[in-house]
Amino acid sequence: MPLTLPDIRRNCAIARLRMKQARLEHWAFGAFNLDDEATLKAVIRAAKTKNAPVLVEVSQGEVDDIGLYNIRDMVDNFKREENVEIYINLDHSPSVEDAKKGIEAGFEFIHIDISQSNHDATDDQIINATKEVVNYARLTGASVESEPHYFSGGSNVFSTNIDYDEIKKTFSTPQEAKKFVDATKIDTFAAAIGNLHGKYPVPKILDLDLLQKIRDAINVNISLHGGSDTPGHYFREAVRIGVSKVNINSDMRYAYRTTLEKILKEHPDQYSVAKLISKDVVDVLTKVVESKIDDFNSANKAIKPNN
Ligand SMILES: [Zn+2]
């Protein structure tokens, strides 16, 4: 059943409040990428077991594949049936038009990122697109996230090592963060402090001193993209410093594929692949989500939507 505008506004108001609480109480929302029903099920199950508030997020690829309103309905059905605290983030929305559609569909969080589809977008283009989305989001109260320039990597497994000298050139700076937040009035700043999209042969290193400086420079929520393959102690420190949202995609995709390959080999006569996925793959994905929830200190922080 589609949400009414008052429903959407209520959800967005609660989501805003909860982000504020997360920062004050030093825990973060895991924002887990939703690829299909199996990944959603794993997130719901982990959220329920851990009594944790969660976000699920979709990029334009999943939006094109599943449909904005199907995503909203699937999440809302599980939310009602399982009584879990869950919100939806539109991740890396490539254009103002797409971001507006996400706002209209009742997504509580909107990440506008025109630099993902156009790496050469100018500072002014990025600021103007972000401002337009911030203004449109007043319709529902959705929270808007953005960053001043292109954030590298991709949602995949890479065989190349991480060249930290190159990556450091793209780190956020406190001055730049403040300037961008002041110019755009965003709700959440996506910081680059060593986090990187994708999985690599070596674990990631986060610059927590830089994170603290950014935290001191701006008074909005901070998110970390590219959270996969990051040693848990970095997250525990980042959450203590004041990160309120961490995006996880590649760790789940890696677990999904490797588990599926393994069970297909073990069950050569089973042609209901969906059956194998809904059991073995969901079990493994649930464990991935649960371990992130522990790292983000969000276990036992949920409020029950049906109560
Ligand atoms: Zn991202």
Side-chain angles (χ1 to χ4, degrees):
M1 207 167 52
L3 294 171
T4 63
L5 187 56
D7 288 336
I8 294 171
R9 286 181 174 155
R10 193 174 54 242
N11 287 344
C12 290
I14 295 170
R16 273 177 180 275
L17 195 68
R18 297 290 286 149
M19 283 291 271
K20 205 177 266 182
Q21 275 176 340
R23 187 174 150 196
L24 284 173
E25 296 169 2
H26 301 285
W27 53 272
F29 279 95
F32 301 99
N33 200 78
L34 186 163
D35 268 351
D36 60 3
E37 195 197 345
T39 46
L40 176 57
K41 249 188 206 166
V43 175
I44 296 284
R45 207 186 273 178
K48 207 172 170 176
T49 308
K50 291 282 179 186
N51 190 26
V54 287
L55 301 184
V56 281
E57 60 188 16
V58 284
S59 302
Q60 195 59 37
E62 288 97 30
V63 169
D64 293 341
D65 198 30
I66 309 171
L68 274 176
Y69 287 87
N70 286 336
I71 293 162
R72 184 73 258 181
D73 281 355
M74 268 164 73
V75 169
D76 285 338
N77 290 341
F78 275 118
K79 178 180 167 181
R80 194 176 49 247
E81 286 162 13
E82 303 295 335
N83 200 19
V84 290
E85 184 183 0
I86 184 165
Y87 309 94
I88 314 181
N89 176 42
L90 183 62
D91 198 28
H92 294 285
S93 190
S95 72
V96 172
E97 289 65 39
D98 289 307
K100 285 180 176 175
K101 285 180 194 161
I103 291 166
E104 288 163 7
F107 286 26
E108 292 89 353
F109 295 89
I110 303 288
H111 172 222
I112 175 71
D113 178 17
I114 62 161
S115 68
Q116 197 71 221
S117 51
N118 173 16
H119 296 186
D120 300 322
T122 64
D123 291 356
D124 278 350
Q125 282 171 327
I126 293 174
I127 287 172
N128 289 336
T130 302
K131 276 166 80 174
E132 203 179 333
V133 175
V134 168
N135 281 333
Y136 197 75
R138 296 210 173 98
L139 174 70
T140 64
S143 298
V144 179
E145 171 181 349
S146 190
E147 64 275 301
H149 51 70
Y150 173 60
F151 185 80
S152 48
S155 308
N156 221 327
V157 176
F158 297 91
S159 55
T160 50
N161 270 320
I162 301 172
D163 182 346
Y164 277 104
D165 286 333
E166 270 308 302
I167 302 289
K168 273 185 183 149
K169 292 178 194 162
T170 65
F171 276 13
S172 311
T173 66
Q175 300 81 353
E176 172 200 54
K178 184 172 176 357
K179 213 172 127 194
F180 188 71
V181 168
D182 287 347
T184 57
K185 306 281 185 282
I186 47 168
D187 304 286
T188 304
F189 179 78
I193 55 161
N195 44 320
L196 190 65
H197 288 134
K199 258 175 107 69
Y200 296 82
V202 292
K204 293 170 192 166
I205 300 168
L206 302 188
D207 186 341
L208 296 168
D209 290 336
L210 175 60
L211 176 64
Q212 182 67 62
K213 286 182 187 131
I214 297 168
R215 178 66 289 170
D216 294 340
I218 56 177
N219 190 23
V220 296
N221 306 310
I222 295 178
S223 73
L224 293 179
H225 283 237
S228 290
D229 243 348
T230 310
H233 67 91
Y234 282 119
F235 289 135
R236 291 190 281 276
E237 272 302 295
V239 164
R240 191 190 56 73
I241 292 168
V243 162
S244 314
K245 170 176 168 282
V246 184
N247 295 13
I248 299 291
N249 188 357
S250 304
D251 278 347
M252 293 173 76
R253 286 188 171 169
Y254 184 80
Y256 196 130
R257 178 170 172 148
T258 50
T259 308
L260 183 58
E261 282 172 349
K262 184 170 153 274
I263 54 168
L264 284 175
K265 256 185 215 147
E266 286 169 5
H267 301 275
D269 303 328
Q270 175 60 274
Y271 283 82
S272 174
V273 178
K275 211 176 258 180
L276 297 174
I277 291 174
S278 73
K279 195 190 167 301
D280 299 69
V281 172
V282 170
D283 283 352
V284 173
L285 288 179
T286 304
K287 290 205 174 65
V288 174
V289 176
E290 284 177 0
S291 83
K292 302 294 179 190
I293 285 173
D294 287 338
D295 288 340
F296 304 157
N297 192 29
S298 59
N300 295 317
K301 300 289 196 302
I303 50 169
K304 300 289 183 194
N306 296 347
N307 300 349

